Amino acid sequence: MLHPMSKWLFRAIILLVSLSGLSYLRVYGSTAYPNGKPAYLASIDSLTNNYLAQNQPEHNRMWNLHKILLSRLRKAGIDTILYYQSGCVGCEVLPDRNTVAYKKSCLCSEEEQSVYLFWQDHGKTLSKKLDCCQNQPVTTGKPVVVNFYFQNQAAFQAGNKFFQDFEAYNRSHPKAVRFLPPTSVHDDVTDIQFYLAKRTVQFSVRKADFTEAGVPKYLRYPWKRKQWEWTQLIKKSTLKI
């Protein structure tokens, strides 16, 4: 047990340290990190740098990188992770690795794509842009980007059930299968992969399937409109990051 005088001295030292600005450790979750940053961010940067330094295939570079980072985030106990990819499908241009332009500008077939990872950690929303040429820093994201799903969960579940029922019908009616409306080969497409613990919500929103106001041209269901709204919300948030 501390002597009363020792207790007073200990409290005085703590007070002086706090007033001097040296008390810079903030508690993040159950562990204290310098500057309030979780420890796994260093490994996220390291994994990204190592990946970009390798001779990666021309296609799906960012998709492969996101799978690596997804695994690391899950090991850190993160179970709410959103993968967002938007851009023109079928517009990829394979760069010539032997040209001076390639070596100087790091051209790649996915440079027209906008790719982000969002995740929630102890109530915080974090964001990382996935770039095929350089490692982008982790920044603070907008909570609404992830929370939109939970605020409209019933609508997204209805969309999932629609396709489950659609597939079930075609399996049970092999001689009278139904087809979805045709779509463009070259189109602006947004892909969503939302990882929730052991469950994954996934869908694509094609620009050609909607009017400029976001009204579905086909499958005019509320869930399809919500899919469009979510992708537009994410897109606006990335323009400000």
Side-chain angles (χ1 to χ4, degrees), residues 1 34 58 67 120 124 128 139 141 173 188 220 235:
M1 180 178 295
E58 297 292 351
K67 298 295 285 186
Q120 283 190 336
K124 278 189 175 182
K128 181 177 178 63
T139 62
H173 297 77
D188 285 332
R220 297 181 178 89
K235 179 178 179 180

Side-chain angles (χ1 to χ4, degrees), residues 165-193:
D165 293 345
F166 186 86
E167 293 176 1
Y169 172 86
N170 283 343
R171 284 195 301 269
S172 60
H173 297 77
K175 295 183 179 180
V177 296
R178 295 173 179 173
F179 296 93
L180 293 173
T183 187
S184 173
V185 176
H186 299 279
D187 191 14
D188 285 332
V189 181
T190 299
D191 291 315
I192 294 292
Q193 298 278 332

Side-chain angles (χ1 to χ4, degrees), residues 81-99:
I81 306 166
L82 171 63
Y83 173 80
Y84 165 88
Q85 176 179 305
S86 182
C88 182
V89 172
C91 301
E92 294 86 355
V93 177
L94 292 179
D96 185 351
R97 288 180 174 270
N98 298 318
T99 63

Side-chain angles (χ1 to χ4, degrees), residues 71-114:
S71 177
R72 181 62 187 88
L73 288 170
R74 281 176 164 169
K75 286 181 180 179
I78 310 300
D79 62 1
T80 304
I81 306 166
L82 171 63
Y83 173 80
Y84 165 88
Q85 176 179 305
S86 182
C88 182
V89 172
C91 301
E92 294 86 355
V93 177
L94 292 179
D96 185 351
R97 288 180 174 270
N98 298 318
T99 63
V100 175
Y102 174 84
K103 295 177 181 179
K104 286 186 176 181
S105 63
C106 182
L107 296 174
C108 63
S109 62
E110 296 170 271
E111 62 180 358
E112 80 288 345
Q113 297 282 349
S114 179

Side-chain angles (χ1 to χ4, degrees), residues 182-184 187 205-211 215-218 224:
T183 187
S184 173
D187 191 14
V205 171
R206 306 184 73 91
K207 183 178 180 181
D209 292 348
F210 297 84
T211 66
V215 178
K217 296 179 181 178
Y218 320 103
K224 193 168 182 66

Side-chain angles (χ1 to χ4, degrees), residues 50-59 61 64 68 97 102:
N50 291 340
Y51 179 83
L52 295 178
Q54 299 171 9
N55 185 22
Q56 299 299 329
E58 297 292 351
H59 291 293
R61 275 197 260 189
N64 296 334
I68 294 173
R97 288 180 174 270
Y102 174 84

